[in-house]
Amino acid sequence: MPASRRLARAFAVEGVAVAVIFVGMVVFFSLASPFFLTGGNIANLLVETVIIALLAAGMTFVLVVGGIDLSVGSVTGLSAATTMWALMSGLPLPVGLLVGIGTGLVAGVVNGAVIALLGVNDFIVTLAMLSVGAGLLQVVTSDVQLTGVQSDAFAWLTQGSVLGLPAPVLIAVVVVLVLEFVLVATPFGRSAYAAGIGPRAAELAGVPVRRVRFGVYVLSGACAGGAGVLLASKLNSVQSGLGSGYELTAIAAAVLGGISLAGGRGSVWRAVLGAVFLGTLGQGLQMLGVDPLWFTIVTGLSIVAAVALDRVVGRVALSRLLGADRPTGGPADPSTPLRDAALENEDPRSVQPLAGSAREARTS
Amino acid sequence: MPDRDTQEPGPQELLRVEGVVKHYPGVVALSGVSLDVRAGEIHALLGENGAGKSTLINVLSGTTQPTSGQVLVAGEPVQLRRPRDAQDLGITTIHQELSLAPELTVLQNIFLGRELRRGPFGRGLLDEHAMSARVQGVIADFGLTERDLRRPVGEFGALTQHVVEIIKALAFDARLVILDEPTSGLAEEERVMLFDHMRRLRERGISLVWVTHRLDELYGLVDRITVLRDGRTVATTDTTESTPADLVRLMVGRKTTSLGVIAEGRTPAERPADPRAEVLRLENVSRRPVLRGVSLTIAGGEILGVAGVAGAGRTELARAILGADRIDGGRILVDGEPVRIRHPRDAYRLGIAMVPEERKTLGILADFPLDKNTTVSRLGKVARLGLMLDRRRERAVTRDYIDELGVRTTGAGERIRNLSGGNQQKIVIARCLFTGPRLIIFDEPTQGIDVAAKAEVYRLIHRFVAGGGAALVISSEIPELLHVSDRILVMREGAIAGEVRPDLRGDDLEADERVSAEIMSLAARSVA
């Protein structure tokens, strides 16, 4: 196989271009700022990245079934508040954690029930939940000063370490491994992919599409709850407005990881990679002394740039591959439009065998 | 209206189709179709499902390009590369699924995409006045008022929606209007009114090509008839010179071509001779308005065919049995026990599986590889402790099916979308077999797959039944039903219209013709 062809094949795999950009970014920041790769600096944005990674991991499930969960931002903030409230009321730490995660879980159950059982549009429902969550957070914080929990174990969640590994990283790794297993290796995960690929076909094949849809929102909610606990531990103080905007960052992370908004494809580790990408970018900008006011703008632009590049490079690579694979002088009539399949008999070559169609769908 | 040449005596020929052939990969949809339509006549196009009517219409409306052959309009050879070309030549096609936007008004629909504008260079604002003036002359003839033009199309019934399509054609000087089974969604009185409208179009000198299944509608309305069979024109005749019996014979034909491959596979002897225990029984099952009081039984070792025209409730019946749709009356019994099937999952657990219609959208999970397609209906069977999917077992199981069913593929890990239609369908059948079913519902199992693959699907159905399973086969192709079924139920308007028994020896073509005619007469409301 010639080298150019091998290169083309590598780039045709989605996400590869983003990964290359990621490496380039790290190299650039390391050269630009000598402190970039030193331990202390990495810890700065670490917790933030772990929180986004958690949300993106939960979001992956929702995206795989072809849905979307816009509520995770404010649910994260609300969960942080309920965690603080529970701990300040003197409840033991495990109960406090359960209250936090449970808050997210309840929000997920409501989302899932309304979307899957009543059939209301997912965008609307989770947008409403976003609003409700933000409102509740405001109500809770207006009454009580949620700050100053005296608990070393609670603080350890984000500041501690095991054998030199920061605790939040450890937590993230465990959660991500479990979630990746659930998505890839269990009947539930398989059903989620099936429901995302073709809900009607999956339903007729006996996949409990509604139940799966319900399940992914619960899971996403629980992840938001967990993220809220970490956020509370990090800040040890909760104000209204906490967590707002996280939902978009989480979706951006998933998209950067190559997860299709059209459903049916994606994996947890890829979404986490996207989160790490965004975290590194933020870290790098900070190191370079860029005004934080510009962060979100740069982040937004870089997402578009990365995904567009991934798509363009991928498409060029793909067409090269297909061009090389196509037998010369085939019977296919080039003037025949693709929609020409009145008899439903497709020319296998008209359906792109690699990631092509998903690429089309991903950024739609 | 465009000028028509009227110097020559005799009926003027508007459209001529000569030797049109259309190949799709693996399928010959048209193998030599000829058609001539005179100016100002109503010309019926008859044929069974799969005879090539739709493909011919697609060629005439510019959505499909023929492999060879030519189309002449008013004596001139023309190229119909896209729908716009046909429209510019005055050929308008009114499809069975009307292409109207229900939210838009009648007027907006008529001019959709071709709006009249005023202002500089005709690119300014929409000129509502000019648009309504343009149709002013015709709307009264078709029973519409000025006010109706401003009402949303969705407020009107099916008949008026057809009328809107007709006016649309007239507004852009159509010379030929192709109507694809326009009466299938209409009530009796509406049908009569539509026929009046068709006569009115003829009076205006417009030609109509009318695709229909219903022989009783032809007489007194249609001038000439062309019959297609197996992608070819078998006859063109004046309506007055043919009887319904002639037409049925022409449509059904001597099935040597389409059944030649099949006949050898017809092996009723393999099946258990004695009737086995009943597997499924329906008692008065209803889902209004699509299913009305359906009762039937299927026993092990039996193939029950279901015939009927589109919209007769065949797929709805399958969906109700599978639990994809709720039923609102009646009982379903499996092995004599009443059961409640709320979801297809319940059906699979009870030993009922389905090969759905529309393989590409409802059958396969296109992005999944073969193994994930095979196991998706019973994931519990390949999960350790019901928790962790055993990929190795999934692959092994799928490989077994690939060998057993003769699936042509590079391996169990290949994506199903890369397979040909017939091989995709075999994997869908494998998925059903994997659930360990005693009844498989096949809904249009050979839709869009080539002849060789069809024969293999029949073989698989026979083999499943020979092993004691029961099969319910829904098909629009009567020869297919005659070939596979022990009994055939004919559905009409959501109810069972009757039952026929095909001749099982398979060599008696006279009997096949007789049974086909019987099915057709049961499926239509009445036969003249």
Side-chain angles (χ1 to χ4, degrees), chain B residues 191-259:
Chain B
R191 254 172 240 169
V192 175
M193 287 170 77
L194 182 69
F195 299 153
D196 286 341
H197 292 326
M198 289 167 69
R199 291 196 186 91
R200 240 165 252 139
L201 284 175
R202 175 168 59 186
E203 279 160 25
R204 289 170 176 265
I206 293 169
S207 310
L208 289 105
V209 171
W210 180 30
V211 179
T212 183
H213 267 114
R214 301 191 40 167
L215 302 180
D216 54 329
E217 294 178 342
L218 302 179
Y219 294 89
L221 175 64
V222 169
D223 300 301
R224 292 193 306 149
I225 298 166
T226 292
V227 181
L228 299 187
R229 187 174 73 227
D230 300 331
R232 165 187 303 282
T233 302
V234 289
T236 296
T237 161
D238 281 359
T239 311
T240 48
E241 287 167 12
S242 62
T243 67
D246 293 336
L247 295 173
V248 167
R249 199 165 309 127
L250 285 167
M251 284 162 72
V252 176
R254 295 201 168 257
K255 278 280 167 314
T256 44
T257 44
S258 67
L259 273 182

Side-chain angles (χ1 to χ4, degrees), chain A residues 185 190 204-205 340 345-346, chain B residues 24 343 348 360 377 389 394 448:
Chain A
R190 181 68 61 78
L204 289 179
D340 203 350
N345 211 296
E346 64 275 88
Chain B
Y24 289 103
H343 188 276
Y348 286 96
K360 279 207 288 188
S377 292
L389 295 170
E394 286 189 83

Side-chain angles (χ1 to χ4, degrees), chain B residues 154-167:
Chain B
E155 290 182 10
F156 295 95
L159 176 68
T160 308
Q161 303 201 0
H162 273 102
V163 167
V164 172
E165 292 272 16
I166 288 172
I167 294 174

Side-chain angles (χ1 to χ4, degrees), chain A residues 136-149:
Chain A
L136 284 176
L137 178 60
Q138 216 151 19
V139 171
V140 173
T141 50
S142 69
D143 256 10
V144 210
Q145 194 76 16
L146 290 176
T147 183
V149 170

Side-chain angles (χ1 to χ4, degrees), chain B residues 103-104 133 146 152 159 171 194 252 254 258 293 314 317 326 358 390 445 449 484 512:
Chain B
E103 306 292 324
L104 299 183
E146 178 86 44
L159 176 68
L194 182 69
V252 176
R254 295 201 168 257
S258 67
R314 295 168 303 168
L317 175 66
R326 287 276 165 86
E358 292 177 39
D390 185 343
I449 66 179
V484 297
D512 276 357

